[in-house]
Amino acid sequence: MLAILIDDLDELQEFDRAVVRFLGFSLMGSKIALIATSDHSSEIEKIGFNNLHLRAFTEYELKQLIKNTFKIVDDDKFPNWLYAASGGNPLLVDETIKLLYQKNLLYYRHSKWRLRTGELTNFSYSKKIEDIILHKIEELQVPHIKVLEIMSLYNNPMEPAILTEIAGVRSLDKLEFLRRKELVRVVRVRGRLAYAVASTIVSDIINKDIP
């Protein structure tokens, strides 16, 4: 089975979406799967593909997820707090948990996950994924931001040699740092390693909100 992945289908022009539609229906019944991601809209529905929606977790589902994943010591209130903080949005759940870990409020000791529940009331967080990503970018040093700006402007995967020529990247350290921050992703271009901005949200923030 071969899978073709197309990200941000809603960002394509009408003609490009028509090409994707033609390709998708041409592959029906074959051993090749076409998988596209998109914000939900009537224009996307018109393409006629089967749609799977990324819905929010229910409070019960989130409780079961936390219980089965972390088994946090002596705290049944955390799932309730996390649901209130995220609304069950899977992206916000993921980002909020990572932020708790980065702030050392969620930590692993003596083979157990533990939470500093007393400090949650002072924990600052956003309910918008754009604000969380903006905060990540604002914490970067100027050289890392410059790399992101160039990659966003180029708007295509860039091989390390190209990044060295255009952005002055002399090693992969900066790119790997941005990858760990989930601001860039690793892809393959004709079998060769390349890097791309992680999402259109990152590009939009770089282009609009970073001076």
Side-chain angles (χ1 to χ4, degrees):
M1 171 68 75
L2 174 67
I4 300 174
L5 303 179
I6 301 177
D7 198 14
D8 298 321
L9 185 58
D10 54 303
E11 297 289 328
L12 300 182
Q13 299 297 320
E14 184 177 358
F15 174 79
D16 298 321
R17 291 200 300 269
V19 172
V20 173
R21 182 180 188 278
F22 173 78
L23 178 61
F25 282 102
S26 298
L27 295 173
M28 287 185 66
S30 72
K31 293 185 178 181
I32 303 176
L34 177 65
I35 303 172
T37 65
S38 169
D39 286 340
H40 182 262
S41 71
S42 59
E43 292 299 316
I44 297 301
E45 285 189 349
K46 289 178 183 177
I47 295 177
F49 291 168
N50 292 329
N51 293 321
L52 297 174
H53 299 286
L54 182 62
R55 64 171 178 81
F57 292 117
T58 66
E59 189 170 0
Y60 173 77
E61 288 171 338
L62 186 54
K63 284 182 178 180
Q64 290 301 113
L65 176 66
I66 296 301
K67 177 181 177 181
N68 295 333
T69 304
F70 291 100
K71 298 180 175 64
I72 295 176
V73 173
D74 298 330
D75 187 54
D76 294 327
K77 296 180 181 179
F78 178 55
N80 296 331
W81 178 90
L82 184 59
Y83 184 79
S86 66
N89 183 319
L91 295 176
L92 285 178
V93 168
D94 179 56
E95 291 293 340
T96 302
I97 289 174
K98 285 187 289 191
L99 190 56
L100 287 169
Y101 181 75
Q102 291 168 8
K103 299 293 185 181
N104 200 33
L105 298 181
L106 177 66
Y107 60 100
Y108 194 74
R109 190 173 68 190
H110 302 315
S111 303
K112 298 285 186 180
W113 283 102
R114 301 168 189 274
L115 184 71
R116 304 183 197 277
T117 53
E119 299 183 37
L120 287 181
T121 53
N122 298 321
F123 176 68
S124 177
Y125 63 91
S126 172
K127 291 190 177 183
K128 292 182 62 178
I129 192 68
E130 291 85 356
D131 291 341
I132 292 175
I133 294 176
L134 175 60
H135 180 68
K136 282 185 181 182
I137 294 173
E138 288 176 336
E139 288 185 330
L140 297 176
Q141 296 180 356
V142 172
H144 293 105
I145 293 177
K146 292 298 182 185
V147 172
L148 274 181
E149 288 175 340
I150 291 171
M151 294 179 71
S152 297
L153 183 63
Y154 190 72
N155 198 31
N156 278 292
M158 302 179 72
E159 296 179 28
I162 297 176
L163 283 163
T164 297
E165 184 69 23
I166 298 177
V169 176
R170 301 302 174 188
S171 72
L172 296 182
D173 291 347
K174 288 180 184 176
L175 296 169
E176 283 300 304
F177 177 80
L178 292 172
R179 183 187 64 79
R180 291 194 298 272
K181 289 286 186 179
E182 297 183 337
L183 296 171
V184 305
R185 56 193 171 92
V186 176
V187 297
R188 292 281 173 178
V189 177
R190 296 180 294 277
R192 296 196 293 268
L193 177 73
Y195 290 85
V197 176
S199 69
T200 55
I201 298 177
V202 175
S203 292
D204 288 346
I205 291 172
I206 286 289
N207 294 330
K208 295 177 183 177
D209 298 321
I210 302 299

